[in-house]
Each structure stands twice: as C-alpha cells, then as structure tokens.
PDB file of all heavy atoms in Angstrom:
ATOM      1  N   ALA L   1      33.394  11.051 -25.448  1.00 96.00           N
ATOM      2  CA  ALA L   1      34.360  11.746 -24.611  1.00 96.00           C
ATOM      3  C   ALA L   1      35.159  12.777 -25.397  1.00 96.00           C
ATOM      4  O   ALA L   1      35.409  13.884 -24.919  1.00 96.00           O
ATOM      5  CB  ALA L   1      35.291  10.754 -23.919  1.00 96.00           C
ATOM      6  N   ILE L   2      35.558  12.419 -26.618  1.00 97.00           N
ATOM      7  CA  ILE L   2      36.387  13.341 -27.385  1.00 97.00           C
ATOM      8  C   ILE L   2      35.534  14.359 -28.170  1.00 97.00           C
ATOM      9  O   ILE L   2      36.095  15.292 -28.761  1.00 97.00           O
ATOM     10  CB  ILE L   2      37.327  12.599 -28.363  1.00 97.00           C
ATOM     11  CG1 ILE L   2      36.540  11.850 -29.432  1.00 97.00           C
ATOM     12  CG2 ILE L   2      38.241  11.672 -27.598  1.00 97.00           C
ATOM     13  CD1 ILE L   2      37.423  11.235 -30.521  1.00 97.00           C
ATOM     14  N   MET L   3      34.222  14.182 -28.158  1.00 95.00           N
ATOM     15  CA  MET L   3      33.339  15.173 -28.778  1.00 95.00           C
ATOM     16  C   MET L   3      32.938  16.267 -27.795  1.00 95.00           C
ATOM     17  O   MET L   3      32.303  17.255 -28.178  1.00 95.00           O
ATOM     18  CB  MET L   3      32.088  14.473 -29.335  1.00 95.00           C
ATOM     19  CG  MET L   3      32.368  13.627 -30.569  1.00 95.00           C
ATOM     20  SD  MET L   3      30.988  12.564 -31.026  1.00 95.00           S
ATOM     21  CE  MET L   3      29.727  13.759 -31.480  1.00 95.00           C
ATOM     22  N   GLY L   4      33.319  16.106 -26.542  1.00 91.00           N
ATOM     23  CA  GLY L   4      32.981  17.077 -25.512  1.00 91.00           C
ATOM     24  C   GLY L   4      34.035  18.139 -25.327  1.00 91.00           C
ATOM     25  O   GLY L   4      34.923  18.343 -26.159  1.00 91.00           O
ATOM     26  N   GLU L   5      33.970  18.816 -24.203  1.00 91.00           N
ATOM     27  CA  GLU L   5      34.895  19.893 -23.861  1.00 91.00           C
ATOM     28  C   GLU L   5      36.338  19.410 -23.871  1.00 91.00           C
ATOM     29  O   GLU L   5      36.669  18.393 -23.270  1.00 91.00           O
ATOM     30  CB  GLU L   5      34.546  20.457 -22.474  1.00 91.00           C
ATOM     31  CG  GLU L   5      35.481  21.543 -21.986  1.00 91.00           C
ATOM     32  CD  GLU L   5      35.380  22.821 -22.818  1.00 91.00           C
ATOM     33  OE1 GLU L   5      34.320  23.053 -23.431  1.00 91.00           O
ATOM     34  OE2 GLU L   5      36.370  23.577 -22.836  1.00 91.00           O
ATOM     35  N   GLY L   6      37.203  20.158 -24.564  1.00 94.00           N
ATOM     36  CA  GLY L   6      38.632  19.816 -24.606  1.00 94.00           C
ATOM     37  C   GLY L   6      38.974  18.666 -25.529  1.00 94.00           C
ATOM     38  O   GLY L   6      40.095  18.176 -25.507  1.00 94.00           O
ATOM     39  N   GLY L   7      38.010  18.265 -26.329  1.00 95.00           N
ATOM     40  CA  GLY L   7      38.212  17.102 -27.185  1.00 95.00           C
ATOM     41  C   GLY L   7      38.764  17.419 -28.551  1.00 95.00           C
ATOM     42  O   GLY L   7      39.565  18.344 -28.742  1.00 95.00           O
ATOM     43  N   LEU L   8      38.293  16.687 -29.526  1.00 94.00           N
ATOM     44  CA  LEU L   8      38.836  16.730 -30.875  1.00 94.00           C
ATOM     45  C   LEU L   8      38.756  18.130 -31.505  1.00 94.00           C
ATOM     46  O   LEU L   8      39.637  18.537 -32.255  1.00 94.00           O
ATOM     47  CB  LEU L   8      38.079  15.718 -31.737  1.00 94.00           C
ATOM     48  CG  LEU L   8      38.657  15.340 -33.089  1.00 94.00           C
ATOM     49  CD1 LEU L   8      40.028  14.715 -32.941  1.00 94.00           C
ATOM     50  CD2 LEU L   8      37.732  14.360 -33.787  1.00 94.00           C
ATOM     51  N   ALA L   9      37.691  18.866 -31.204  1.00 94.00           N
ATOM     52  CA  ALA L   9      37.499  20.197 -31.811  1.00 94.00           C
ATOM     53  C   ALA L   9      38.573  21.186 -31.393  1.00 94.00           C
ATOM     54  O   ALA L   9      38.770  22.205 -32.047  1.00 94.00           O
ATOM     55  CB  ALA L   9      36.122  20.739 -31.439  1.00 94.00           C
ATOM     56  N   ASN L  10      39.287  20.892 -30.307  1.00 95.00           N
ATOM     57  CA  ASN L  10      40.327  21.807 -29.824  1.00 95.00           C
ATOM     58  C   ASN L  10      41.663  21.622 -30.536  1.00 95.00           C
ATOM     59  O   ASN L  10      42.619  22.355 -30.284  1.00 95.00           O
ATOM     60  CB  ASN L  10      40.532  21.636 -28.319  1.00 95.00           C
ATOM     61  CG  ASN L  10      39.344  22.154 -27.514  1.00 95.00           C
ATOM     62  OD1 ASN L  10      38.294  21.549 -27.528  1.00 95.00           O
ATOM     63  ND2 ASN L  10      39.542  23.275 -26.826  1.00 95.00           N
ATOM     64  N   CYS L  11      41.771  20.617 -31.400  1.00 95.00           N
ATOM     65  CA  CYS L  11      43.000  20.382 -32.146  1.00 95.00           C
ATOM     66  C   CYS L  11      43.106  21.406 -33.266  1.00 95.00           C
ATOM     67  O   CYS L  11      42.174  21.551 -34.067  1.00 95.00           O
ATOM     68  CB  CYS L  11      43.031  18.967 -32.711  1.00 95.00           C
ATOM     69  SG  CYS L  11      44.410  18.649 -33.835  1.00 95.00           S
ATOM     70  N   GLY L  12      44.219  22.121 -33.330  1.00 92.00           N
ATOM     71  CA  GLY L  12      44.416  23.135 -34.366  1.00 92.00           C
ATOM     72  C   GLY L  12      45.142  22.626 -35.589  1.00 92.00           C
ATOM     73  O   GLY L  12      45.455  23.407 -36.498  1.00 92.00           O
ATOM     74  N   ASN L  13      45.430  21.310 -35.623  1.00 91.00           N
ATOM     75  CA  ASN L  13      46.086  20.682 -36.780  1.00 91.00           C
ATOM     76  C   ASN L  13      47.430  21.336 -37.128  1.00 91.00           C
ATOM     77  O   ASN L  13      47.770  21.491 -38.305  1.00 91.00           O
ATOM     78  CB  ASN L  13      45.163  20.703 -38.000  1.00 91.00           C
ATOM     79  CG  ASN L  13      45.619  19.734 -39.084  1.00 91.00           C
ATOM     80  OD1 ASN L  13      46.189  18.695 -38.782  1.00 91.00           O
ATOM     81  ND2 ASN L  13      45.384  20.081 -40.341  1.00 91.00           N
ATOM     82  N   SER L  14      48.198  21.707 -36.116  1.00 93.00           N
ATOM     83  CA  SER L  14      49.519  22.284 -36.365  1.00 93.00           C
ATOM     84  C   SER L  14      50.520  21.221 -36.819  1.00 93.00           C
ATOM     85  O   SER L  14      51.537  21.539 -37.445  1.00 93.00           O
ATOM     86  CB  SER L  14      50.049  22.968 -35.104  1.00 93.00           C
ATOM     87  OG  SER L  14      50.338  21.997 -34.101  1.00 93.00           O
ATOM     88  N   GLN L  15      50.238  19.978 -36.459  1.00 94.00           N
ATOM     89  CA  GLN L  15      51.072  18.818 -36.814  1.00 94.00           C
ATOM     90  C   GLN L  15      52.441  18.838 -36.140  1.00 94.00           C
ATOM     91  O   GLN L  15      53.353  18.116 -36.547  1.00 94.00           O
ATOM     92  CB  GLN L  15      51.221  18.691 -38.340  1.00 94.00           C
ATOM     93  CG  GLN L  15      49.860  18.585 -39.047  1.00 94.00           C
ATOM     94  CD  GLN L  15      49.975  18.135 -40.474  1.00 94.00           C
ATOM     95  OE1 GLN L  15      50.898  17.412 -40.835  1.00 94.00           O
ATOM     96  NE2 GLN L  15      49.027  18.535 -41.293  1.00 94.00           N
ATOM     97  N   ASN L  16      52.605  19.673 -35.107  1.00 96.00           N
ATOM     98  CA  ASN L  16      53.846  19.661 -34.336  1.00 96.00           C
ATOM     99  C   ASN L  16      54.030  18.344 -33.607  1.00 96.00           C
ATOM    100  O   ASN L  16      55.140  17.864 -33.409  1.00 96.00           O
ATOM    101  CB  ASN L  16      53.841  20.799 -33.293  1.00 96.00           C
ATOM    102  CG  ASN L  16      53.985  22.160 -33.928  1.00 96.00           C
ATOM    103  OD1 ASN L  16      53.943  22.277 -35.157  1.00 96.00           O
ATOM    104  ND2 ASN L  16      54.145  23.192 -33.126  1.00 96.00           N
ATOM    105  N   CYS L  17      52.917  17.734 -33.223  1.00 96.00           N
ATOM    106  CA  CYS L  17      52.975  16.504 -32.427  1.00 96.00           C
ATOM    107  C   CYS L  17      53.636  15.367 -33.183  1.00 96.00           C
ATOM    108  O   CYS L  17      54.501  14.662 -32.656  1.00 96.00           O
ATOM    109  CB  CYS L  17      51.577  16.094 -31.961  1.00 96.00           C
ATOM    110  SG  CYS L  17      50.380  15.866 -33.321  1.00 96.00           S
ATOM    111  N   VAL L  18      53.227  15.176 -34.428  1.00 95.00           N
ATOM    112  CA  VAL L  18      53.760  14.053 -35.217  1.00 95.00           C
ATOM    113  C   VAL L  18      55.237  14.290 -35.544  1.00 95.00           C
ATOM    114  O   VAL L  18      56.014  13.343 -35.687  1.00 95.00           O
ATOM    115  CB  VAL L  18      52.920  13.846 -36.482  1.00 95.00           C
ATOM    116  CG1 VAL L  18      53.152  14.944 -37.508  1.00 95.00           C
ATOM    117  CG2 VAL L  18      53.203  12.478 -37.093  1.00 95.00           C
ATOM    118  N   ALA L  19      55.645  15.555 -35.654  1.00 95.00           N
ATOM    119  CA  ALA L  19      57.046  15.868 -35.926  1.00 95.00           C
ATOM    120  C   ALA L  19      57.924  15.632 -34.700  1.00 95.00           C
ATOM    121  O   ALA L  19      59.098  15.285 -34.818  1.00 95.00           O
ATOM    122  CB  ALA L  19      57.182  17.320 -36.396  1.00 95.00           C
ATOM    123  N   ALA L  20      57.345  15.814 -33.512  1.00 96.00           N
ATOM    124  CA  ALA L  20      58.123  15.692 -32.268  1.00 96.00           C
ATOM    125  C   ALA L  20      58.106  14.299 -31.699  1.00 96.00           C
ATOM    126  O   ALA L  20      59.021  13.931 -30.927  1.00 96.00           O
ATOM    127  CB  ALA L  20      57.581  16.667 -31.237  1.00 96.00           C
ATOM    128  N   CYS L  21      57.117  13.463 -32.030  1.00 97.00           N
ATOM    129  CA  CYS L  21      56.980  12.146 -31.421  1.00 97.00           C
ATOM    130  C   CYS L  21      58.238  11.303 -31.595  1.00 97.00           C
ATOM    131  O   CYS L  21      58.657  11.032 -32.729  1.00 97.00           O
ATOM    132  CB  CYS L  21      55.788  11.394 -32.019  1.00 97.00           C
ATOM    133  SG  CYS L  21      55.563   9.729 -31.337  1.00 97.00           S
ATOM    134  N   PRO L  22      58.879  10.864 -30.496  1.00 96.00           N
ATOM    135  CA  PRO L  22      60.110  10.076 -30.615  1.00 96.00           C
ATOM    136  C   PRO L  22      59.902   8.687 -31.208  1.00 96.00           C
ATOM    137  O   PRO L  22      60.852   8.041 -31.625  1.00 96.00           O
ATOM    138  CB  PRO L  22      60.610   9.981 -29.151  1.00 96.00           C
ATOM    139  CG  PRO L  22      59.402  10.197 -28.329  1.00 96.00           C
ATOM    140  CD  PRO L  22      58.537  11.124 -29.101  1.00 96.00           C
ATOM    141  N   LYS L  23      58.664   8.226 -31.234  1.00 96.00           N
ATOM    142  CA  LYS L  23      58.371   6.904 -31.785  1.00 96.00           C
ATOM    143  C   LYS L  23      57.792   6.965 -33.199  1.00 96.00           C
ATOM    144  O   LYS L  23      57.451   5.921 -33.767  1.00 96.00           O
ATOM    145  CB  LYS L  23      57.392   6.164 -30.853  1.00 96.00           C
ATOM    146  CG  LYS L  23      57.990   5.735 -29.515  1.00 96.00           C
ATOM    147  CD  LYS L  23      59.157   4.791 -29.730  1.00 96.00           C
ATOM    148  CE  LYS L  23      59.731   4.300 -28.412  1.00 96.00           C
ATOM    149  NZ  LYS L  23      60.858   3.373 -28.616  1.00 96.00           N
ATOM    150  N   GLY L  24      57.653   8.170 -33.738  1.00 95.00           N
ATOM    151  CA  GLY L  24      57.149   8.306 -35.095  1.00 95.00           C
ATOM    152  C   GLY L  24      55.709   7.845 -35.261  1.00 95.00           C
ATOM    153  O   GLY L  24      55.320   7.376 -36.337  1.00 95.00           O
ATOM    154  N   ILE L  25      54.901   7.974 -34.216  1.00 96.00           N
ATOM    155  CA  ILE L  25      53.505   7.542 -34.282  1.00 96.00           C
ATOM    156  C   ILE L  25      52.711   8.498 -35.182  1.00 96.00           C
ATOM    157  O   ILE L  25      52.821   9.726 -35.036  1.00 96.00           O
ATOM    158  CB  ILE L  25      52.896   7.505 -32.864  1.00 96.00           C
ATOM    159  CG1 ILE L  25      53.665   6.491 -32.000  1.00 96.00           C
ATOM    160  CG2 ILE L  25      51.410   7.148 -32.913  1.00 96.00           C
ATOM    161  CD1 ILE L  25      53.270   6.499 -30.542  1.00 96.00           C
ATOM    162  N   PRO L  26      51.901   7.964 -36.097  1.00 95.00           N
ATOM    163  CA  PRO L  26      51.118   8.838 -37.003  1.00 95.00           C
ATOM    164  C   PRO L  26      49.934   9.490 -36.293  1.00 95.00           C
ATOM    165  O   PRO L  26      48.785   9.163 -36.542  1.00 95.00           O
ATOM    166  CB  PRO L  26      50.670   7.859 -38.090  1.00 95.00           C
ATOM    167  CG  PRO L  26      50.589   6.538 -37.410  1.00 95.00           C
ATOM    168  CD  PRO L  26      51.706   6.535 -36.386  1.00 95.00           C
ATOM    169  N   LEU L  27      50.222  10.401 -35.408  1.00 96.00           N
ATOM    170  CA  LEU L  27      49.200  11.026 -34.571  1.00 96.00           C
ATOM    171  C   LEU L  27      48.166  11.794 -35.389  1.00 96.00           C
ATOM    172  O   LEU L  27      46.967  11.703 -35.137  1.00 96.00           O
ATOM    173  CB  LEU L  27      49.861  11.976 -33.557  1.00 96.00           C
ATOM    174  CG  LEU L  27      50.811  11.314 -32.550  1.00 96.00           C
ATOM    175  CD1 LEU L  27      51.635  12.364 -31.834  1.00 96.00           C
ATOM    176  CD2 LEU L  27      50.019  10.487 -31.560  1.00 96.00           C
ATOM    177  N   THR L  28      48.620  12.549 -36.395  1.00 94.00           N
ATOM    178  CA  THR L  28      47.689  13.338 -37.194  1.00 94.00           C
ATOM    179  C   THR L  28      46.785  12.455 -38.052  1.00 94.00           C
ATOM    180  O   THR L  28      45.644  12.819 -38.354  1.00 94.00           O
ATOM    181  CB  THR L  28      48.437  14.353 -38.083  1.00 94.00           C
ATOM    182  OG1 THR L  28      49.486  13.666 -38.802  1.00 94.00           O
ATOM    183  CG2 THR L  28      49.074  15.443 -37.236  1.00 94.00           C
ATOM    184  N   THR L  29      47.308  11.302 -38.460  1.00 94.00           N
ATOM    185  CA  THR L  29      46.471  10.350 -39.206  1.00 94.00           C
ATOM    186  C   THR L  29      45.345   9.833 -38.330  1.00 94.00           C
ATOM    187  O   THR L  29      44.195   9.689 -38.770  1.00 94.00           O
ATOM    188  CB  THR L  29      47.316   9.161 -39.713  1.00 94.00           C
ATOM    189  OG1 THR L  29      48.389   9.649 -40.523  1.00 94.00           O
ATOM    190  CG2 THR L  29      46.480   8.198 -40.503  1.00 94.00           C
ATOM    191  N   SER L  30      45.670   9.570 -37.059  1.00 95.00           N
ATOM    192  CA  SER L  30      44.651   9.125 -36.121  1.00 95.00           C
ATOM    193  C   SER L  30      43.606  10.204 -35.892  1.00 95.00           C
ATOM    194  O   SER L  30      42.413   9.935 -35.823  1.00 95.00           O
ATOM    195  CB  SER L  30      45.297   8.744 -34.781  1.00 95.00           C
ATOM    196  OG  SER L  30      46.083   7.571 -34.908  1.00 95.00           O
TER     197      SER L  30
END
C-alpha cells in the first residue's frame, strides 16, 4: 500500500512532522 501512489516515495524528508508532533513520536525514524 505504501509503495503505491501517494505512498512512501512522496515523502520529501522535510522533518517538519516530527518537529510539530505534540506527542514527540519519532515519525522520521519510522
């Protein structure tokens, strides 16, 4: 599912997500 359209390849690795997460989840590590 994540290898298809809109999946993992669409991540630009900006790392904004891990900085904004209110729970401090290691999103970029995942």
Side-chain angles (χ1 to χ4, degrees):
I2 65 173
M3 288 169 65
E5 177 67 25
L8 195 60
N10 290 71
C11 173
N13 196 32
S14 68
Q15 303 194 29
N16 289 8
C17 56
V18 72
C21 179
K23 291 299 183 180
I25 298 172
L27 297 166
T28 50
T29 302
S30 291

